Amino acid sequence: MAETARLRLKTRAFTALVVLSNVLGNFSLTWGLRRVGGLLGFSPIAYVEAMFNPWVALGVSLLILWLLSHMALLSWADLSYVLPVTSMGYALAAVVGRVFLHEQISWTRWAGILFIMLGVWLVARTAPRSTPQLRPESAQS
Amino acid sequence: MKWLLVGVIVAATTVGEVLQAVGMKRHGEIEDFRPGALGKVLGLLARNKLIIASVALMAVSFFAFMKLLTVAELSFAVPATAATYVFETVLAKYLLKEQIGWVRWTGAWLVACGVALLFL
């Protein structure tokens, strides 16, 4: 019982970290890229130059944090659990786009946000892990 | 251009995340979050072929996403890449053998419908 509660708490904390780092990372990246003036070609130099913009650098750092926290979450939770619960980021991204970037959100998009929140609430009620825990590679000689 | 980039992002993310899930499950649950232990985990993951392939695919997806953000709004770019979600759930069921009960399926469908509505 205590093990289940521990796993649930740990999963919720990491889900929050995955969602927030993704939404804030994408927002920061968009904000920075708009100031850089866009990437016109596929030249790697243009991408490297864009990294010197503080907003782009912050966005990239947050997306690295997103990748690492997502990997950690997948080390114990099902992919079919992680996908829906972290999709809350799509709803938050739309709200961030509306509030800070002044993008238009139609009523169908608001309905989409409501559906996503309801789906996330349902999936979050299921056990994060349904497959047996494998023996860690680090414990194998 | 917009839809070509969406296609690249969807394909790279789907394969990348499934490989990441397999690689992390094989690694085992991360339980120690002290800096030294995390460093050791990163060292192990840096030698894990599945994780290396997954990070390479995520990098392809990331750069395609950066390009997409310059030609599309954030409120289009983020939901457009959500098609990965449908493919990955099916692969989780049949390839990763995850047990998906009716509550999780219902929640998953609601999220899929919500993402589709974000497109309209």
Side-chain angles (χ1 to χ4, degrees):
Chain A
M1 198 68 181
E3 174 64 14
T4 310
R6 181 199 66 85
L7 192 70
R8 220 172 249 286
L9 185 68
K10 186 173 154 182
T11 304
R12 287 196 178 153
F14 269 80
T15 301
L17 186 61
V18 169
V19 169
L20 288 175
S21 57
N22 186 255
V23 171
L24 296 175
N26 282 328
F27 168 72
S28 182
L29 197 60
T30 310
W31 191 265
L33 284 173
R34 286 189 180 178
R35 264 139 196 81
V36 166
L39 303 168
L40 297 174
F42 285 99
S43 159
I45 295 166
Y47 286 95
V48 173
E49 278 176 357
M51 298 287 182
F52 286 100
N53 177 287
W55 286 101
V56 174
L58 177 66
V60 171
S61 305
L62 284 168
L63 289 174
I64 289 171
L65 177 65
W66 164 76
L67 178 69
L68 296 177
S69 53
H70 190 258
M71 280 166 70
L73 188 55
L74 280 173
S75 77
W76 67 82
D78 290 349
L79 181 63
S80 61
Y81 177 94
V82 172
L83 280 172
V85 293
T86 55
S87 69
M88 196 161 45
Y90 294 122
L92 280 178
V95 174
V96 166
R98 172 76 185 91
V99 175
F100 295 103
L101 302 175
H102 308 296
E103 293 175 355
Q104 292 303 310
I105 299 183
S106 62
W107 71 268
T108 48
R109 278 189 179 172
W110 283 117
I113 290 168
L114 187 70
F115 270 60
I116 289 172
M117 299 308 281
L118 201 59
V120 167
W121 176 73
L122 272 179
V123 175
R125 292 164 62 90
T126 65
R129 183 160 61 203
S130 71
T131 50
Q133 183 73 342
L134 295 173
R135 190 175 167 223
E137 274 179 2
S138 52
Q140 295 168 8
S141 60
Chain B
M1 170 62 102
K2 212 159 78 167
W3 289 105
L4 173 71
L5 288 167
V6 169
V8 170
I9 294 165
V10 168
T13 309
T14 301
V15 180
E17 290 203 331
V18 170
L19 289 178
Q20 196 179 96
V22 177
M24 290 312 295
K25 289 291 178 307
R26 285 190 187 170
H27 173 272
E29 180 178 349
I30 298 173
E31 291 175 316
D32 191 348
F33 294 95
R34 284 173 299 186
L38 285 178
K40 204 185 256 183
V41 168
L42 281 176
L44 278 170
L45 293 179
R47 292 194 295 273
N48 184 321
K49 283 176 188 153
L50 289 168
I51 297 297
I52 293 167
S54 113
V55 171
L57 284 165
M58 298 302 270
V60 170
S61 166
F62 171 73
F63 284 110
F65 186 72
M66 267 179 94
K67 181 70 188 167
L68 181 62
L69 283 180
T70 64
V71 293
E73 286 189 337
L74 178 67
S75 52
F76 166 83
V78 176
T81 54
T84 54
Y85 166 80
V86 179
F87 299 118
E88 286 180 44
T89 305
V90 172
L91 289 174
K93 165 91 179 152
Y94 295 102
L95 203 69
L96 307 180
K97 311 285 181 205
E98 291 179 3
Q99 291 163 25
I100 307 177
W102 72 269
V103 175
R104 194 178 285 185
W105 270 122
T106 308
W109 275 108
L110 277 171
V111 171
C113 290
V115 171
L117 276 172
L118 284 175
F119 271 111
L120 299 175

